[in-house]
Amino acid sequence: MAQERTLGLIKPDAVANNHIGNIVKRVVDEGFTIVALRMLRMSKATAEQFYDVHADKPFYGELTDYMSSGPCVAMVLEADGAIVKWRDLMGATNPEKAAEGTLRKLYAESFTMNATHGSDAPETAAREISFFFATSEIFGR
Ligand code: IDP
Ligand code: MG
């Protein structure tokens, strides 16, 4: 499989619950290279823009309130097949359905407050990486 990049977020619940270190250690242990990393807090408007694909969903208001409620850690992760690999490591969106050992099983608080985000396809990865990082802030080899 080809080297690929994906956008990972450690969401506000996981930051507030002090899981940054646990999650970053897992990222490294699973063989990703972190090529960019930054802590940031989204405004409500920025969260709405980031999740605009879900604007018509019933959970959009709750989701964007939550995502703007505190800081996130944004990361660009590089690996062979990084997009699927990171989504596998995160586990199912609903933490009650997430497999044992996945980040959402271990660290999520609820369906909405589910610890991590990951891009779901090459096009969304490209959009989401450039949403948070300038090319000059990404340190690939
Ligand atoms: P994903 O994060 O696994 O890609 P999406 O379907 O893209 O899942 O949804 C984005 C985020 O919206 C989820 O991670 C979760 O925080 C929230 N969310 C999705 N579906 C629901 C739901 O049915 N109830 C509550 N929150 C939801
Ligand atoms: Mg998604």
Side-chain angles (χ1 to χ4, degrees), residues 85-103:
K85 185 178 164 79
W86 173 240
R87 288 195 66 94
D88 286 348
L89 179 57
M90 292 199 299
T93 306
N94 181 350
E96 288 180 5
K97 295 187 177 161
E100 288 300 327
T102 60
L103 297 174

Side-chain angles (χ1 to χ4, degrees), residues 51 54 87 117-118 120:
Y51 277 115
H54 293 312
R87 288 195 66 94
H117 166 84
D120 62 8

Side-chain angles (χ1 to χ4, degrees), residues 46-121:
T46 302
E48 285 173 347
Q49 199 187 340
F50 182 69
Y51 277 115
D52 64 356
V53 66
H54 293 312
D56 59 348
K57 306 278 171 58
F59 56 82
Y60 185 61
E62 183 188 352
L63 173 63
T64 53
D65 280 347
Y66 154 61
M67 290 301 290
S68 57
S69 68
C72 286
V73 174
M75 307 175 284
V76 180
L77 306 177
E78 191 172 83
D80 274 1
I83 294 169
V84 167
K85 185 178 164 79
W86 173 240
R87 288 195 66 94
D88 286 348
L89 179 57
M90 292 199 299
T93 306
N94 181 350
E96 288 180 5
K97 295 187 177 161
E100 288 300 327
T102 60
L103 297 174
R104 283 165 164 170
K105 180 70 170 187
L106 288 166
Y107 303 123
E109 291 205 346
S110 69
F111 204 155
T112 299
M113 298 164 70
N114 61 356
T116 54
H117 166 84
S119 310
D120 62 8

